[in-house]
Amino acid sequence: MESMRILLRTAKYVLTRDKNLECVEPVPPKPKFTAENVPDMTGKVVLVTGANAGIGKETARVKISVCFLTENAKVWIGCRDVGKGEATIKDLKDRTESAEDFLKKETQLHVLFNNAGVMDPPVEQVTEDGFDLQFGTNVLGHFYLTKLLLPLLLFTAKSSPDGTVRIVNTSSNGHMFSGLDFDTFKDGPKRRAKSGMELYSQSKTGNIVFSAELHRRYRDQGIVSTSLHPGTIKSELARYQGGFVQWIFSLVVYDVSYGAITQLYAGTSPDVVGLGGQYFIPWARVGEPRADTQDPHIGKELWSYMEEQVANL
């Protein structure tokens, strides 16, 4: 029911053409940027998380087919089985090993696509350490991986042209329906009182807040951090939805090939060099997220919270 409510609210916003909610438009204009516009990525190293399915898989496929097979970029793919609801904090320890392995093999990292995600699993599903599964997977997991790889990203930025090193954080227009409630990041009565879709929306807000704070902290050191809504895309993200809701989605979704457009734009286009901290909407356009996602006080608070959670890993 919550999924349907959000769908109906989205439709209402589109019909009323609320300019403050432009990012929820379901029918974006024809894309001006496509995979064919990906610039030469010779010598670049790219890491795409969540690349075993959906948008991440398509982004990796395009990067590999357009770049790697023409002896340009080297593309690494990172994936985990969120379908099993595996504990994210437990996974973070595995990410430490994976990151260490990556760092042993690579001396540069130019583009990190934080793409992996899960949407609206049963509310009962939490991480091993009691975090909401969606916050743990969609926000805290990306924060921790970025933290592990940040020294390499900063090192790469020192020897690269301005705007070359980028971190692209996948969010959603669903962030419009919830701000951040720190009391629901971990399991408890307050979190259990929320629906899975409300917790999903919160996690997507977290992606934008994290991205904006990352930009504020590291823009002067050559990191271009952006977030985006990839579009209403046919993927496995809605795996937990009921049959009727999945049918509704099937009527309005775009092919997964469209899902990579805005990601590729954010990660590769020369136009993005001066657009750090921005939130992009389909297809490859600057959008306007919730105002609170740009609040530096909220950004600092979320950053400090996540630092504390991963401090002992």
Side-chain angles (χ1 to χ4, degrees):
M1 290 300 294
E2 182 65 22
S3 301
M4 182 57 64
R5 183 177 69 84
I6 287 181
L7 282 172
L8 291 175
R9 287 177 64 185
T10 299
K12 176 183 176 183
Y13 291 137
V14 172
L15 290 173
T16 56
R17 303 292 184 183
D18 187 330
K19 293 183 179 180
N20 291 324
L21 293 164
E22 179 183 359
C23 65
V24 300
E25 59 181 0
V27 186
K30 185 177 179 180
K32 295 181 180 179
F33 180 94
T34 67
E36 285 69 33
N37 300 121
V38 174
D40 179 47
M41 296 287 285
T42 298
K44 302 296 189 300
V45 179
V46 178
L47 174 60
V48 185
T49 71
N52 58 321
I55 297 168
K57 183 177 181 180
E58 182 64 15
T59 298
R61 184 194 68 78
V62 172
K63 293 299 299 171
I64 291 171
S65 62
V66 173
C67 304
F68 183 66
L69 294 182
T70 56
E71 299 183 358
N72 292 344
K74 179 187 291 186
V75 182
W76 286 71
I77 60 174
C79 52
R80 59 185 292 275
D81 189 354
V82 296
K84 295 180 180 178
E86 294 176 355
T88 302
I89 296 301
K90 182 179 179 181
D91 268 357
L92 291 182
K93 297 174 182 177
D94 295 333
R95 289 189 191 208
T96 302
E97 296 176 2
S98 298
E100 289 177 350
D101 185 55
F102 176 85
L103 293 170
K104 289 177 182 178
K105 296 179 179 178
E106 295 293 346
T107 58
Q108 296 186 101
L109 177 59
H110 298 87
V111 186
L112 170 61
F113 288 98
N114 282 324
N115 172 78
V118 60
M119 182 178 79
D120 196 18
V123 174
E124 294 75 20
Q125 289 192 11
V126 295
T127 71
E128 186 180 62
D129 285 5
F131 286 96
D132 172 67
L133 183 63
Q134 295 180 94
F135 175 79
T137 303
N138 300 349
V139 189
L140 188 58
H142 289 161
F143 170 81
Y144 187 57
L145 180 63
T146 301
K147 178 181 173 67
L148 293 173
L149 297 175
L150 197 53
L152 182 58
L153 289 159
L154 291 169
F155 175 79
T156 306
K158 290 180 180 179
S159 59
S160 303
D162 289 345
T164 300
V165 178
R166 304 183 187 183
I167 301 173
V168 181
N169 302 284
T170 300
S171 180
S172 166
N173 61 359
H175 83 277
M176 298 299 295
F177 303 110
S178 178
L180 296 180
D181 183 346
F182 284 67
D183 291 335
T184 63
F185 291 169
K186 277 200 167 185
D187 197 24
K190 196 170 183 179
R191 189 194 79 88
R192 297 253 172 168
K194 290 184 175 291
S195 69
M197 282 304 294
E198 286 176 312
L199 294 169
Y200 171 73
S201 298
Q202 172 175 259
S203 75
K204 295 293 97 180
T205 292
N207 292 144
I208 304 175
V209 173
F210 163 58
S211 181
E213 181 64 17
L214 186 62
H215 167 68
R216 285 188 287 266
R217 289 173 181 254
Y218 294 102
R219 60 188 170 187
D220 293 338
Q221 297 182 56
I223 303 293
V224 177
S225 172
T226 60
S227 58
L228 59 88
H229 166 47
T232 308
I233 305 299
K234 182 180 181 180
S235 73
E236 295 181 15
L237 189 62
R239 64 176 67 86
Y240 292 107
Q241 302 299 312
F244 179 69
V245 173
Q246 290 203 24
W247 175 74
I248 292 293
F249 272 116
S250 72
L251 300 178
V252 298
V253 295
Y254 287 83
D255 182 76
V256 69
S257 61
Y258 280 83
I261 291 175
T262 306
Q263 286 188 332
L264 290 170
Y265 174 76
T268 69
S269 174
D271 295 343
V272 179
V273 170
L275 297 177
Q278 295 290 340
Y279 168 76
F280 298 113
I281 59 176
W283 310 112
R285 297 176 295 147
V286 174
E288 185 177 349
R290 290 174 56 104
D292 55 358
T293 64
Q294 306 304 299
D295 186 332
H297 297 293
I298 296 177
K300 290 179 182 178
E301 186 178 5
L302 179 63
W303 190 284
S304 296
Y305 177 87
M306 293 193 293
E307 282 276 21
E308 291 175 4
Q309 306 314 308
V310 303
N312 296 321
L313 292 176

